[in-house]
Amino acid sequence: MVYTKILNKNSKWNLLVKDAYGKYKVVYHNKLKSKVISKREELRSNSIKAQAALDMRTVVGVYEEYANQRMEDALNPNSALKVSSVNRFPRWFKRWIRPHFENKMVFPSSILIRQLNIDIAKTWFKEIRKSGCSIKVAFDVANSLTTVLKYAVEKQYIDHVGSLSEWKPKKDKALLPVDSSEYKKTKTVMINRQEVARLLTLLTPTNNEDIKSISKYVIVSCLVFLGVRMSELIAFKWKFVNLETGTWDITHTVVEGLYAKSVKADGSERSNVLPTELWTLLKAWKIVHNKHFGKNVEWIFPSFGYYNVPVTEKVVRDWLVLAYQDLGLAKVEIRKSSSGDNKAYLKVLWSKFKGSPSKTFRHFASTALLNHQQADPIVLNDNFIKGYIGHLDIKTTKTIYGDHNDLDNTSEQFDKQRSAVDNAIGIKTTDGWKELN
């Protein structure tokens, strides 16, 4: 209900309305009091209708509005929001929100946004799980319900988020599957030093005319030595690499084919030294690159079909999984497209690195720096390592990458580990009871 006052001032009747800050402001005046009273009734009637409309807003309607708003914000060229970070909301809405909140067998009447509570959310959660939603996706969509409620508060559709802000399905054992591996976060499998050496040997170009083989070799070397994200790698331009001083900068990314001055997160924009091996390699690549693509091509790794665009993430991923197959680290299959256009694509049947064929190198580079930190603590301090990898906080680096213990996978390394454990425990046993022949 709108709050109003009628005051007589300067021979006029004034209608005042209370705003969101509690202050009354004149919105209408007339010499006739009857006109002012009529205007007040009109405002009250409109207020009642508006409140009724708000009271009837459903979870489905507000979620759809929120999803569309986020996509609109991301498509704004002046917005730092990325489409890739919000396009999941329309997808979730179509598959997990509308079909299940509008299922009359589960919810006989529409669930209003002001009615959404933990009991309703639990019922909905169980239904989407029955429909085949993975537990990890279910967790994410469930969390988005609270986000949508906060949006509803901002829009003044409701006054507060309510009890759902305290709901954590991950902590509700009644909602969790028996197999804990389904919901426990798994870390990216890291490629070890011996596998990296085998991979680079496999990709070593045999002559300086095979531009595609050389490009593969240099790209993989950049992943190994720099630990960059794929979006950062394919955005590399020569102006960001100083071959005189041996330094490189990360300021741009390519996401879904769009090149922009943006990075994944705070701390991702960085400037670092080039490792010696890679510095030497990039100098050689620049000579071959200029000869084949021309000096005016600014991309360090241009597409082979169109030099004015960078190589795509899909191309690099395909190179990697095929190489992994040659090393016995993956198995792939070439399948024809179902669209009938005679195109083919690679289907990964199995891979040691699962869905992270390039991210595994980020783990490798990070772990290598962290493992060597004790040997050179002054130079390889926390600030340097987090800055090299592109994190705002060293805790992020250590949490994600610091628990890897398989950087080396050799019998010599196993012997060192075994000896260290023997010395740490310091207990002797005897096998004098064994049967002697």
Side-chain angles (χ1 to χ4, degrees):
M1 172 69 72
V2 63
Y3 294 94
T4 62
K5 287 182 180 180
I6 295 179
L7 299 176
N8 188 298
K9 186 176 182 181
N10 298 328
S11 301
K12 291 182 180 180
W13 290 97
N14 298 275
L15 175 62
L16 293 83
V17 174
K18 189 177 183 180
D19 64 16
Y21 301 99
K23 295 183 179 181
Y24 283 88
K25 294 184 178 181
V26 176
V27 297
Y28 180 75
H29 58 81
N30 199 294
K31 289 183 179 181
L32 297 176
K33 186 176 182 179
S34 60
K35 293 282 188 180
V36 176
I37 292 175
S38 177
K39 187 67 175 178
R40 179 173 64 179
E41 293 306 314
E42 180 185 339
L43 288 177
R44 285 179 173 176
S45 177
N46 290 338
S47 174
I48 292 172
K49 291 179 181 178
Q51 186 60 49
L54 288 178
D55 290 342
M56 294 305 293
R57 285 186 178 273
T58 64
V59 171
V60 171
V62 177
Y63 200 107
E64 183 176 25
E65 180 184 322
Y66 172 77
N68 292 337
Q69 182 63 60
R70 295 299 280 171
M71 286 298 295
E72 183 180 332
D73 292 341
L75 291 171
N76 184 340
N78 297 319
S79 170
L81 193 63
K82 296 180 180 179
V83 171
S84 58
S85 66
V86 299
N87 59 9
R88 61 187 183 275
F89 294 113
R91 185 170 66 250
W92 290 344
F93 172 75
K94 292 178 182 178
R95 186 161 188 184
W96 307 120
I97 299 297
R98 171 175 277 168
H100 297 280
F101 274 108
E102 290 186 346
N103 186 343
K104 298 303 181 183
M105 299 296 292
V106 181
F107 302 113
S109 59
S110 297
I111 303 298
L112 303 179
I113 192 70
R114 58 184 172 82
Q115 294 176 321
L116 188 57
N117 56 33
I118 294 177
D119 285 341
I120 291 173
K122 282 185 176 181
T123 300
W124 162 82
F125 190 93
K126 292 175 181 177
E127 286 302 313
I128 66 172
R129 288 285 289 138
K130 287 179 186 177
S131 297
C133 184
S134 72
I135 190 68
K136 292 180 180 179
V137 171
F139 285 155
D140 289 340
V141 185
N143 289 335
S144 76
L145 290 178
T146 303
T147 304
V148 169
L149 284 174
K150 291 178 181 178
Y151 169 81
V153 172
E154 291 176 4
K155 291 292 184 178
Q156 297 184 340
Y157 300 156
I158 55 177
D159 295 327
H160 60 281
V161 173
S163 62
L164 206 64
S165 62
E166 304 299 322
W167 183 51
K168 304 294 182 186
K170 284 185 179 181
K171 295 183 178 181
D172 189 339
K173 292 186 177 180
L175 300 178
L176 300 179
V178 175
D179 186 356
S180 62
S181 65
E182 289 185 44
Y183 57 86
K184 286 188 176 179
K185 190 173 182 179
T186 57
K187 65 182 180 181
T188 301
V189 177
M190 186 186 71
I191 191 168
N192 61 50
R193 189 173 279 114
Q194 289 69 41
E195 290 165 343
V196 169
R198 289 173 58 207
L199 178 63
L200 290 177
T201 298
L202 174 71
L203 297 178
T204 299
T206 56
N207 64 75
N208 59 11
E209 297 298 325
D210 189 350
I211 190 68
K212 186 172 289 190
S213 293
I214 298 173
S215 180
K216 290 180 187 178
Y217 186 80
V218 180
I219 283 176
V220 174
S221 296
C222 285
L223 291 171
V224 170
F225 285 98
L226 305 181
V228 290
R229 302 176 178 92
M230 183 68 84
S231 60
E232 298 168 344
L233 173 78
I234 59 180
F236 269 175
K237 289 186 176 182
W238 286 114
K239 65 181 179 180
F240 300 132
V241 176
N242 190 326
L243 294 179
E244 295 297 322
T245 60
T247 56
W248 57 284
D249 301 319
I250 292 289
T251 57
H252 291 63
T253 55
V254 172
V255 178
E256 295 186 345
L258 297 177
Y259 175 73
K261 191 180 188 308
S262 64
V263 289
K264 182 178 181 181
D266 292 341
S268 295
E269 190 167 312
R270 55 203 187 274
S271 179
N272 289 304
V273 296
L274 283 170
T276 304
E277 293 290 329
L278 185 61
W279 186 8
T280 302
L281 190 63
L282 285 174
K283 287 180 180 179
W285 170 239
K286 182 69 179 288
I287 296 172
V288 177
H289 174 284
N290 288 350
K291 179 181 177 182
H292 182 85
F293 299 109
K295 294 182 178 181
N296 294 327
V297 175
E298 56 185 348
W299 300 105
I300 295 183
F301 304 114
S303 167
F304 292 100
Y306 304 94
Y307 299 169
N308 61 332
V309 296
V311 67
T312 65
E313 178 177 345
K314 180 182 181 302
V315 167
V316 177
R317 287 173 65 93
D318 285 351
W319 286 349
L320 286 170
V321 295
L322 285 171
Y324 292 152
Q325 177 171 253
D326 290 340
L327 295 175
L329 301 174
K331 185 177 181 180
V332 302
E333 187 177 274
I334 299 177
R335 295 185 177 179
K336 288 186 177 181
S337 172
S338 58
S339 62
D341 55 8
N342 293 324
K343 292 184 178 180
Y345 68 95
L346 288 180
K347 173 69 176 179
V348 180
L349 304 177
W350 168 83
S351 173
K352 175 182 176 179
F353 312 112
K354 300 181 174 23
S356 304
S358 63
K359 190 178 179 181
T360 187
F361 297 105
R362 186 163 169 75
H363 284 240
F364 172 81
S366 303
T367 304
L369 291 174
L370 289 169
N371 282 6
H372 200 69
Q373 187 178 36
Q374 188 174 357
D376 198 353
I378 296 177
V379 176
L380 294 182
N381 55 58
D382 287 353
N383 282 333
F384 176 84
I385 293 178
K386 71 180 180 67
Y388 192 90
I389 297 304
H391 286 146
L392 185 64
D393 193 332
I394 189 62
K395 291 181 181 178
T396 304
T397 314
K398 291 182 176 180
T399 300
I400 298 176
Y401 308 120
D403 60 348
H404 283 295
N405 58 7
D406 50 357
L407 188 64
D408 288 295
N409 189 21
T410 64
S411 58
E412 292 80 8
Q413 180 69 9
F414 293 155
D415 288 342
K416 290 179 182 178
Q417 293 171 350
R418 186 176 294 105
S419 177
V421 173
D422 291 344
N423 292 332
I425 295 177
I427 296 295
K428 298 293 184 182
T429 63
T430 178
D431 60 357
W433 42 264
K434 70 181 180 182
E435 183 179 354
L436 299 177
N437 295 322

